[in-house]
Structure formats: C-alpha cells, structure tokens
C-alpha cells in the first residue's frame, strides 16, 4: 500500500503539470472492479476542462491537484493505485485520464489493479470540510512536532505500532514505515502509548522524520509484487534499505546478531529485532 514516501514521490512526479490547462477528462473502458469516481465523468469534465493547474499538494496518502477557482482533484491510491505520466503497466487497469495543454506532460493517468482507490473532485469548501475540519485526517507526519505527536497519542493504551497507523492521530505513516521507524527509534512495537517516556517520544518523532525523508529520496519502496511504481512507471529504491520490514528470519541489519521477528498486530504484519527493540521505555 503506498504510504507517505510513495505518494509524495507521485506528487513530485507530476509537478511539471503546474501551469498546464485541462483539455479533457476521460474514464477509460475497464472491465475490472470500478473505483470510486465522484462526481460522474460528465460533471467531472464540466467542472475541470479549461481550468489551469495551479499547484500539486499532498494530504497524507493522497495527491491533490489544485485548479483555478479552488477546485481540487484528490487521487487516493489506497492499495494498488498509481499516478502516472508515462505509459502504464497495463491498459486494462486504467481508471481515469486527464489530458493537458500548455505543459510538457500531455496526460496524467490513475491506474489501479485492485480498484480500491478513488478519484474525487472537491470544491475548496468541500475540501476543507473533508480534510481539515472533520477530524478524519491528523497532522502530516513530516510537519507534526514531537510534542504534538506525544499529546495526540500518549493517552492511548494501544500499542505504539497500532496507534501510528491511525490516520486521525498522525497522517501518512502506514504499516511498512511504522515498523521501520520504530526499529530506528529502538522502541518495541507492542509498547503501550501511555507507557512511553518523553525520551521515547522524541526518538520516535526523530526516526519518523528521518525514515520518511530517506524513503522519499529513494522514491519509495517497490515490494516483491512490483505494484508500486513512480510517475514514470519505474521502481522505487528504498526496499533495498529496509532494516526489518519483510526480513523475518534474517539477521538484523543494525545489530547483526539477532534474527528479525514477525508478529501480527491489528491484522497487520510487524517486523522487529528483539535485541535492538527491547520492551523497555
């Protein structure tokens, strides 16, 4: 599932469309499970054609295309969605197409193998209501300060790994990067939030920023199924840097002495090193 680094890579991959004018919006023929597309294609086209792209933003794990007049196209990859400017991996999984003029990129595609993603158009007021004032989306993981991270999560009795996945608390961290950052912070993933010390919260915050920024530099992680691709339909590189994620039974890359363990938390796989992440505060 694309997390903050992968989605930020998608955002950066389409920055060159800023200044371009939307000339058409299309829904390619697709016999697969349909994605959420709102409004319908006719209304979508009517509200966007002849508008210029003024900015490319990101809200957590969503790419946001800002148009003149304030409307925003929100592309949410979910499990297998991709935002592309190059030829897609397959044609049968294309879900949405935007044609442009006045910029180097002629088309932006949303591709989704499993059909769990969405493309939605919001007015400026609707966007603020959905993503700013509703409480559904917490502060971005690259913006939040350590004190706010602690204040938002420290009263919870949930395990810290599980709490980090709650997008209402902090937005952008998913299963892969939660495991990686807790390893860097030397925090056991099952530690209850309300048992963490101030020093531990500082380490978690610092590790979160460092790991996410490092992953962005490598353009995200392309795992064994090869689903995630950047906007040019190329692999990310951070999978080669994973310290614990997906490395069950292998020696920890940090200590070199203990095998990485896999457990299940909230129906998600967690990887950690017992030697580096002892259950202490």
């Amino acid at each position: 599932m694309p997390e903050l680094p992968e989605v930020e890579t998608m955002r950066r991959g389409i920055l060159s469309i800023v200044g371009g004018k939307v000339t058409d919006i299309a829904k390619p023929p697709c016999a697969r499970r349909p994605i959420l597309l709102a409004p319908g294609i006719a209304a979508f086209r009517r509200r966007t054609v002849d508008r210029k792209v003024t900015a490319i933003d990101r809200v957590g794990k969503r790419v946001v295309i800002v148009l003149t007049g304030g409307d925003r196209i929100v592309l949410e990859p979910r499990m297998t969605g991709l935002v592309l400017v190059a030829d897609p991996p397959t044609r049968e999984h294309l879900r949405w197409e935007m044609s442009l003029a006045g910029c180097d990129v002629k088309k932006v595609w949303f591709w989704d193998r499993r059909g769990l993603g969405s493309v939605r158009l919001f007015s400026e007021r609707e966007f603020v209501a959905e993503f700013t004032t509703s409480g559904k989306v917490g502060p971005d993981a690259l913006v939040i300060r350590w004190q706010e991270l602690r204040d938002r999560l420290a009263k919870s009795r949930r395990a810290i790994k599980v709490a980090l996945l709650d997008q209402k608390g902090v937005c952008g961290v998913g299963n892969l990067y939660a495991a990686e950052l807790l390893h860097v912070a030397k925090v056991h993933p099952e530690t209850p939030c309300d048992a963490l010390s101030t020093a531990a919260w500082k380490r978690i915050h610092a590790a979160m920023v460092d790991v996410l920024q490092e992953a962005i530099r490598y353009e995200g992680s392309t795992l064994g199924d090869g689903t995630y691709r950047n906007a040019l339909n190329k692999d990310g590189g951070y999978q080669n840097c994973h310290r614990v994620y997906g490395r069950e039974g292998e020696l920890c890359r940090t200590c070199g002495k203990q095998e990485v363990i896999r457990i299940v938390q909230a129906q998600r796989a967690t990887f950690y090193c017992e030697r580096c992440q002892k259950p202490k505060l």
Side-chain angles (χ1 to χ4, degrees):
M1 179 176 182
E3 300 180 28
L4 189 154
E6 289 76 35
V7 178
E8 175 62 17
T9 299
M10 294 178 195
R11 185 194 75 84
R12 296 182 184 191
I14 63 170
L15 279 175
S16 59
I17 72 172
V18 173
K21 184 174 72 172
V22 179
T23 60
D24 193 21
I25 298 290
K27 182 181 178 182
C30 181
R32 308 287 179 164
R33 168 181 173 160
I35 67 167
L36 171 61
L37 178 64
I41 197 65
F44 209 124
R45 185 181 294 115
R46 186 168 57 250
R47 288 176 54 185
T48 57
V49 168
D50 292 331
R51 300 280 188 92
K52 283 192 173 182
V53 178
T54 61
I56 308 295
D57 295 334
R58 178 182 55 77
V59 175
K61 303 175 188 179
R62 306 166 188 87
V63 175
V64 181
I65 301 173
V66 185
L67 305 176
T68 51
D71 281 357
R72 288 159 167 80
I73 302 170
V74 177
L75 303 103
E76 185 170 4
R78 297 293 295 272
M79 292 296 292
T80 59
L82 300 176
V83 180
L84 300 163
V85 298
D87 287 340
T90 60
R91 290 280 167 178
E92 63 265 31
H93 298 101
L94 281 177
R95 310 304 186 130
W96 178 86
E97 175 184 284
M98 180 170 68
S99 300
L100 300 123
C103 60
D104 293 337
V105 174
K106 301 307 177 186
K107 290 185 183 293
V108 173
W109 287 291
F110 186 78
W111 181 97
D112 190 349
R113 178 180 293 159
R114 293 182 62 183
L116 300 174
S118 65
V119 180
R120 294 181 288 169
L121 179 64
F122 293 86
S123 68
E124 187 171 8
R125 178 181 295 180
E126 290 169 340
F127 181 84
V128 170
E130 178 73 11
F131 298 108
T132 304
T133 61
S134 67
K136 297 177 183 178
V137 179
D140 191 84
L142 289 179
V143 175
I144 192 171
R145 298 169 64 87
W146 78 264
Q147 296 94 333
E148 185 177 7
L149 179 69
R150 176 198 59 193
D151 292 347
R152 293 179 72 88
L153 301 183
K155 294 180 182 180
S156 173
R157 294 181 179 178
R158 293 177 297 178
I160 179 59
K161 163 73 184 326
V162 175
L164 286 170
L165 303 185
D166 185 350
Q167 300 302 291
K168 295 179 182 178
V170 59
C171 191
V173 177
N175 195 54
L176 189 163
Y177 294 104
E180 287 292 302
L181 74 88
L182 288 174
H183 178 77
V184 173
K186 299 186 183 301
V187 172
H188 194 285
E190 294 181 310
T191 307
C193 290
D194 61 358
L196 288 164
S197 65
T198 295
W201 283 113
K202 288 181 178 180
R203 294 200 310 274
I204 291 168
H205 179 267
M208 179 171 70
V209 173
D210 288 348
V211 167
L212 294 177
Q213 288 182 339
E214 183 182 25
I216 291 169
R217 289 196 296 271
Y218 281 91
E219 298 195 325
S221 299
T222 298
L223 302 181
D225 63 4
T227 296
Y228 165 70
R229 317 283 285 172
N230 66 18
L232 296 176
N233 192 21
K234 295 182 179 180
D235 288 351
Y238 194 65
Q239 65 276 5
N240 300 315
C241 303
H242 292 173
R243 299 163 179 87
V244 289
Y245 186 84
R247 296 178 58 81
E248 178 186 10
E250 300 179 30
L251 283 180
C252 170
R253 287 182 165 181
T254 300
C255 69
K257 296 181 179 180
Q258 187 79 30
E259 289 185 357
V260 173
I261 292 174
R262 177 187 182 276
I263 60 173
V264 176
Q265 294 179 282
Q267 291 78 55
R268 305 298 301 277
T270 293
F271 301 88
Y272 72 100
C273 170
E274 282 188 324
R275 190 171 190 274
C276 294
Q277 297 167 261
K278 295 178 181 178
K280 64 180 181 180
L281 306 186

